[in-house]
Amino acid sequence: MKTLHEIRGFSPAIRLLLVNQLGVNTGFYLLIPYLATHLGEDLGMSAAVVGIVLGVRNLSQQGLFLIGGSAADRLGAHGVIIAGCAVRTVGFALFALGDGLAVLLAASVLSGLAGALFNPAVRAYLSQEAGDRKAEAFALFNMFATTGALIGPLLGSVLLLVDFRASALTAAAIFAVLTVAQALMLPARAVPPSRSGVLADWREVVGNRRFLAFSLAMVGMFTLENQLYLLLPDGARRATGWEGAAGLVFLVGALANLALQMRLTRALKERGRQAIGAGLALMGLAFLPPMLVSGSAPQAWHAAPVLAGVLLLYVGVMVAQPFVMELIPGFGRPELTGTYFGIFYMVSGVAAAVGNTVVGWAMDAGGRQDTAWLPWACCLAVGLASAGGITWLHRLGALPERPALVGASV
């Protein structure tokens, strides 16, 4: 009930953005997790070509976050959010309508570009609209996003009983509805006149050493969060010998998020900066329980330490993420909020890609050398290193002093 009261306490624009994020993640996750299987098994493409198609989608998103953030600052987040939803509608529809490599590459580019547009724009809009309640707004945002990430694969698995095109067309339809909803109901905010050129804006943000240090310290959060799709499902399957164990990873996380997110954010609101370091430490420690059973013969009870690790990881994200999002606008001018989010997500995206590569290498090496604990130890080290980095920045006074109030009047 408190969560419903919290949602009602925000403006209609924020409530619409929460529903938008639920739809965005539902549409995304009902399609993308099954794309590689469709390309390889249904269309008979080689693993190399599948990797190219998936890599183009990821690269076009991560590489263009900066463009999306700058567009939100200069053109207004409202229009960029709508454009992003519309572009993804076209991209996902192409996945349904085309089997040729050229069409699939175009679909990948468009779907990646869409994410690069609306991800920083929606966060900039939410940050500006929420005023001094940024942490609570981003906590709710995280809840809706996590719920969509659970609904999407479940819906996708049902639609695949028809065929992949049914999934792709459904995902495109969801984004089409979101496009119309944002166009009709999301208020446009006034865009302050720019005082400098785009390149000058980028130089200003990149030259902000406090912000760059913060972004680099936070790479652990995104690297470890990505293990929900790589190491933890694989660990659950290996520990139990049951393929369905991977699904429990997302179920446990979604239920924990719905039950705990707002409680944790309210409890930690006055200690937001300290909470970031604590959350990162929890994320690192989350890989310790699964490590204790790694390499052992599969047994049903091994699900317990793996799911305990999943729960710890989600709790760490819930503790840290709202306050990370709250801090980002405080590093610079309110007029550059979108650009700051864009660069932050560009750095984190590159970090997640590198992190996944390292963890994948550790998984392979652990399997060959009978050191199954290796990838888990890597993740533990990454989490503790990021927690140490953020704690160090906090002690240096390098984090914004009053993050909850920054940009409240924009």
Side-chain angles (χ1 to χ4, degrees):
M1 293 300 294
K2 286 185 178 179
T3 299
L4 289 175
H5 178 73
E6 197 88 44
I7 293 171
R8 293 193 191 103
F10 282 106
S11 67
I14 287 182
R15 296 200 294 268
L16 178 60
L17 291 178
L18 296 178
V19 174
N20 180 67
Q21 191 60 25
L22 174 68
V24 164
N25 274 21
T26 299
F28 182 85
Y29 285 105
L30 77 84
L31 174 69
I32 294 300
Y34 306 107
L35 180 58
T37 301
H38 168 66
L39 296 175
E41 296 184 5
D42 298 342
L43 302 184
M45 293 184 171
S46 68
V49 174
V50 171
I52 290 172
V53 173
L54 297 179
V56 164
R57 192 211 66 79
N58 190 62
L59 182 62
S60 62
Q61 178 162 316
Q62 308 300 345
L64 296 175
F65 271 133
L66 181 54
I67 303 297
S70 291
D73 289 334
R74 290 178 169 269
L75 305 177
H78 167 269
V80 178
I81 293 170
I82 295 169
C85 288
V87 170
R88 184 156 282 178
T89 300
V90 177
F92 280 6
L94 283 177
F95 278 125
L97 301 175
D99 294 340
L101 181 59
V103 175
L104 292 170
L105 287 174
S108 293
V109 170
L110 289 175
S111 60
L113 171 61
L117 289 173
F118 62 65
N119 277 351
V122 75
R123 285 159 178 80
Y125 194 114
L126 194 71
S127 174
Q128 293 164 348
E129 184 74 15
D132 61 355
R133 299 181 65 203
K134 290 181 177 63
E136 293 92 332
F138 280 110
L140 288 169
F141 192 79
N142 188 31
M143 287 178 60
F144 277 74
T146 301
T147 303
L150 176 65
I151 295 172
L154 295 176
L155 180 57
S157 64
V158 173
L159 289 168
L160 282 176
L161 297 176
V162 181
D163 61 15
F164 178 81
R165 285 179 172 79
S167 294
L169 289 174
T170 301
I174 289 173
F175 278 96
V177 170
L178 294 175
T179 302
V180 174
Q182 312 305 305
L184 295 179
M185 294 184 284
L186 187 66
R189 297 176 61 88
V191 181
S194 176
R195 303 193 311 224
S196 56
V198 173
L199 292 179
D201 290 346
W202 293 354
R203 283 195 296 269
E204 179 179 336
V205 177
V206 172
N208 188 329
R209 293 183 180 179
R210 293 191 309 146
F211 172 68
L212 286 186
F214 175 76
S215 299
L216 291 173
M218 288 306 307
V219 299
M221 184 173 81
F222 293 92
T223 299
L224 299 188
E225 197 173 3
N226 265 262
Q227 301 320 306
L228 290 168
Y229 309 100
L230 178 62
L231 180 58
L232 283 163
D234 181 75
R237 287 189 292 264
R238 291 177 183 274
T240 63
W242 175 44
E243 285 297 316
L248 295 178
V249 169
F250 302 104
L251 180 61
V252 166
L255 294 177
N257 187 276
L258 292 172
L260 299 174
Q261 177 67 83
M262 290 310 300
R263 289 184 173 90
L264 289 170
T265 302
R266 292 190 201 102
L268 297 170
K269 176 149 177 82
E270 300 304 319
R271 299 184 295 276
R273 287 173 292 171
Q274 297 94 318
I276 295 173
L280 289 168
L282 280 175
M283 291 180 71
L285 292 172
F287 293 86
L288 187 56
M291 183 169 67
L292 299 178
V293 297
S294 62
S296 303
Q299 297 187 50
W301 72 267
H302 286 173
V306 176
L307 294 179
V310 171
L311 182 59
L312 270 179
L313 181 61
Y314 269 96
V315 170
V317 173
M318 287 186 274
V319 167
Q321 194 173 69
F323 301 108
V324 171
M325 298 295 104
E326 180 186 59
L327 277 182
I328 290 171
F331 281 100
R333 293 187 284 124
E335 297 88 349
L336 294 182
T337 296
T339 305
Y340 273 95
F341 273 112
I343 289 183
F344 180 78
Y345 272 94
M346 187 170 69
V347 171
S348 65
V350 172
V354 173
N356 273 351
T357 301
V358 172
V359 172
W361 169 85
M363 291 169 68
D364 290 339
R368 290 193 304 268
Q369 302 170 12
D370 197 26
T371 53
W373 52 266
L374 183 60
W376 306 97
C378 288
C379 291
L380 171 64
V382 167
L384 296 181
S386 277
I390 286 295
T391 302
W392 179 63
L393 290 175
H394 175 51
R395 289 178 177 173
L396 287 178
L399 303 181
E401 286 297 321
R402 299 290 300 277
L405 298 178
V406 172
S409 62
V410 177

